[in-house]
C-alpha cells in the first residue's frame, strides 16, 4: 500500500477490487482459450489431456496472449513486479 501511495481504506475499497476483477477476467480468457481455441496456441485438447505439466499449458496460453495484446503499464514499479 505504501509503495502505491494508498491508505489502507483506498487499497481495499478502490485498488484491490479492480485488481481482483482484472485477475478473474484474465482467468476467464485463459479458460475460454483452453476450452475453445487451443489450436491458436499450437496445442490440441488430446495433447493437453495427456500432459502431466498443467503449468506448461497455462504458460503457452499466456505466451499467446502476450503476443496478441499490447499491454501498457501506467506504474513502472508494478510493471517490474509483473515481468
Amino acid at each position: 500500500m505504501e509503495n502505491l501511495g494508498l491508505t489502507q481504506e483506498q487499497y481495499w475499497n478502490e485498488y484491490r477490487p479492480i485488481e481482483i476483477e482484472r485477475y478473474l477476467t484474465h482467468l476467464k480468457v485463459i479458460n475460454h482459450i483452453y476450452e475453445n481455441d487451443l489450436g491458436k496456441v499450437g496445442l490440441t485438447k488430446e495433447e493437453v489431456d495427456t500432459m502431466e505439466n498443467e503449468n506448461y499449458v497455462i504458460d503457452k496460453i499466456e505466451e499467446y496472449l502476450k503476443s496478441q495484446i499490447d499491454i501498457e503499464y501506467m506504474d513502472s514499479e508494478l510493471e517490474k513486479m509483473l515481468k
Side-chain angles (χ1 to χ4, degrees):
M1 289 182 280
E2 193 174 295
N3 288 341
L4 296 170
L6 301 174
T7 65
Q8 189 172 12
E9 184 177 304
Q10 288 172 316
Y11 177 81
W12 289 110
N13 293 325
E14 297 171 23
Y15 180 81
R16 194 66 182 149
I18 292 169
E19 288 303 305
I20 291 170
E21 183 179 346
R22 287 180 184 163
Y23 175 73
L24 293 174
T25 300
H26 186 77
L27 288 180
K28 285 181 183 181
V29 170
I30 287 174
N31 189 54
H32 174 79
I33 291 172
Y34 177 79
E35 294 294 329
N36 302 295
D37 296 323
L38 275 176
K40 289 183 178 180
V41 296
L43 297 169
T44 66
K45 196 81 160 159
E46 293 76 26
E47 288 175 319
V48 170
D49 289 342
T50 60
M51 288 182 178
E52 291 182 21
N53 187 353
E54 183 180 293
N55 289 331
Y56 175 78
V57 176
I58 294 171
D59 290 344
K60 290 291 281 183
I61 293 172
E62 292 278 352
E63 203 174 283
Y64 170 75
L65 288 174
K66 287 179 183 176
S67 73
Q68 299 299 309
I69 301 171
D70 186 27
I71 298 173
E72 181 180 330
Y73 294 96
M74 296 175 67
D75 183 329
S76 59
E77 292 300 315
L78 180 61
E79 178 180 11
K80 288 176 190 174
M81 289 173 23
L82 295 175
K83 286 191 174 187

